[in-house]
Amino acid sequence: MKQLTIAICNYNYERYLTAAIDSALAQDYPATKVMVVDDGSTDGSREIIEGYGKRVLFLGKRNGGQVSAYNHAIASLDTEYVIFLDSDDVLYPSAVSEVMRFFEHGTWAKVQFRLDVMDNEGVLTGAYVPHSEPPQECGELLRSGWLYPSPPASGNAYRVSALKQIFPVPEEGVNRYGADFYAIYGVALTGPIATVPKSLGGYRVHNAGSGTVSFANSEQLTKAPRAFSMRWAILRNIVKVRLGIELPGTFLDFSHEKATFCSSIYRATLFRRWHWMLLDSGNYLHTIVANPFWSLKKKLGTLVLSSLCLVPYSPLSDFAVRYIANPLARRRVSRR
């Protein structure tokens, strides 16, 4: 039986760490190993990890950021497959069994699956990510600059040999975070991607309040566009040197453009909203109209919602932005 490691990279998440480790140990696939990389936590994380004894492989290191933790974990892996589970997320008991069914009958570089969205207390919200499924050969679209729909870090299982074609990733300077970006998109250039059409874990959203427009846990909305552009540049260099693949200078991704849209439009004046939509919305609209992963219905719906940002009534405009930006807002509306 082929082995898979669940690698949990943790930094100061003692509140959630036990749930993550317990979910990894509860897998019904017998050949599952559990590794915890602690990135120099200063809370009670180390004591929690040590409490599991030999049931988990504990790798402690000095604080260096998420990229450093991924580099360390990948260099230490001795299994053929791995899932990187964020220390505030959980996996359902059949997660490893489900992804191994794909790996055992194909040459997949990555098997991805949906994650149910949880709030800060672990209560399911009724939302899940992602809402679109990529084609198996999404690497071809990636070569044209299109970032394919992927779940967050915890919803991806990788062939380790594919990861090692991309990692280690430079970890100095501002590139401390976003390790999952390089794993998710870099691996797609090494082989085909498979999708399990159901949820196999829970994704915790810490800013799930109804007033927020941000959906990403890791970065503030205004910082996301700059961070993505930096990572794309680094990924371009990595795959050029290691894989001999030339990626375009810029990428296309609705999630990225959505962040720019929201930070520019939300709670802005009517003049500012119209000015942005008329003069600066080209890339945003292009990632809707030309999106190769979306249905016509989804494209039209997003365009209609986006147009509501031009109405004089600012509460309606702000609601439209929240609806586009945050899937949790959509669930709240449906429950009324």
Side-chain angles (χ1 to χ4, degrees):
M1 179 176 281
K2 295 180 179 179
Q3 294 183 320
L4 179 145
T5 296
I6 298 175
I8 303 171
C9 295
N10 173 73
Y11 176 67
N12 284 352
Y13 260 173
E14 63 173 331
R15 178 179 177 184
Y16 311 109
L17 183 56
T18 297
I21 296 176
D22 286 348
S23 76
L25 291 172
Q27 293 300 302
D28 61 14
Y29 186 77
T32 301
K33 293 185 175 183
V34 179
M35 169 195 293
V36 183
V37 178
D38 187 74
D39 190 39
S41 293
T42 57
D43 61 1
S45 294
R46 185 182 185 93
E47 289 74 17
I48 291 173
I49 302 166
E50 291 176 339
Y52 286 91
K54 294 183 179 180
R55 289 188 292 167
V56 305
L57 173 61
F58 176 27
L59 300 178
K61 60 183 291 294
R62 296 180 63 180
N63 180 254
Q66 188 194 38
V67 171
S68 173
Y70 266 55
N71 284 341
H72 192 66
I74 291 170
S76 304
L77 289 170
D78 62 358
T79 59
E80 192 172 350
Y81 307 99
V82 64
I83 294 175
F84 277 95
L85 175 63
D86 283 349
S87 55
D88 57 340
D89 294 340
V90 297
L91 293 174
Y92 299 157
S94 64
V96 175
S97 294
E98 295 280 356
V99 300
M100 288 307 298
R101 290 192 184 99
F102 282 82
F103 279 131
E104 289 171 354
H105 297 93
T107 57
W108 309 109
K110 190 188 85 163
V111 177
Q112 68 177 50
F113 47 89
R114 290 194 323 230
L115 295 172
D116 291 327
V117 177
M118 310 181 296
D119 66 15
N120 193 56
E121 303 303 320
V123 178
L124 295 178
T125 65
Y128 61 83
V129 287
H131 286 271
S132 304
E133 293 185 6
Q136 294 179 3
E137 296 298 337
C138 56
E140 294 303 317
L141 287 168
L142 190 60
R143 286 175 172 84
S144 300
W146 281 101
L147 301 188
Y148 65 90
S150 174
S154 302
N156 302 278
Y158 302 96
R159 186 181 297 272
V160 173
S161 58
L163 275 176
K164 288 185 175 181
Q165 293 182 64
I166 305 300
F167 286 80
V169 168
E171 56 191 62
E172 60 275 358
V174 295
N175 197 42
R176 287 171 56 90
Y177 305 103
D180 50 333
F181 180 93
Y182 302 105
I184 288 169
Y185 299 114
V187 163
L189 296 169
T190 71
I193 306 300
T195 301
V196 180
K198 61 181 177 180
S199 296
L200 297 180
Y203 172 60
R204 196 181 307 269
V205 175
H206 298 280
N207 51 356
S210 59
T212 182
V213 297
S214 176
F215 186 55
N217 282 326
S218 59
E219 292 164 304
Q220 297 177 6
L221 192 64
T222 54
K223 294 182 179 179
R226 182 173 60 87
F228 266 53
S229 297
M230 177 199 68
R231 289 168 194 152
W232 179 255
I234 294 173
L235 180 63
R236 286 185 69 222
N237 183 64
I238 289 173
V239 300
K240 180 179 181 179
V241 172
R242 300 179 190 173
L243 304 180
I245 295 174
E246 288 276 0
L247 294 177
T250 58
F251 63 89
L252 297 163
D253 176 54
F254 176 71
S255 294
H256 171 264
E257 296 301 333
K258 178 179 70 176
T260 303
F261 164 77
C262 294
S263 61
S264 301
I265 296 296
Y266 191 59
R267 294 178 176 173
T269 64
L270 181 62
F271 173 80
R272 171 60 182 159
R273 285 181 268 141
W274 272 89
H275 183 275
W276 190 88
M277 290 296 288
L278 289 174
L279 300 180
D280 302 319
S281 63
N283 289 339
Y284 173 74
L285 296 175
H286 180 70
T287 57
I288 297 173
V289 175
N291 197 306
F293 310 108
W294 286 12
S295 66
L296 178 60
K297 179 180 178 181
K298 185 170 182 178
K299 293 178 182 180
L300 291 174
T302 306
L303 288 172
V304 170
L305 280 168
S306 300
S307 70
L308 293 179
C309 297
L310 300 177
V311 301
Y313 186 56
S314 57
L316 179 59
S317 172
D318 291 342
F319 169 78
V321 173
R322 288 195 300 270
Y323 193 94
I324 292 170
N326 191 344
L328 300 184
R330 306 168 201 174
R331 302 302 302 183
R332 290 187 184 90
V333 171
S334 66
R335 288 171 181 171
R336 290 178 182 173

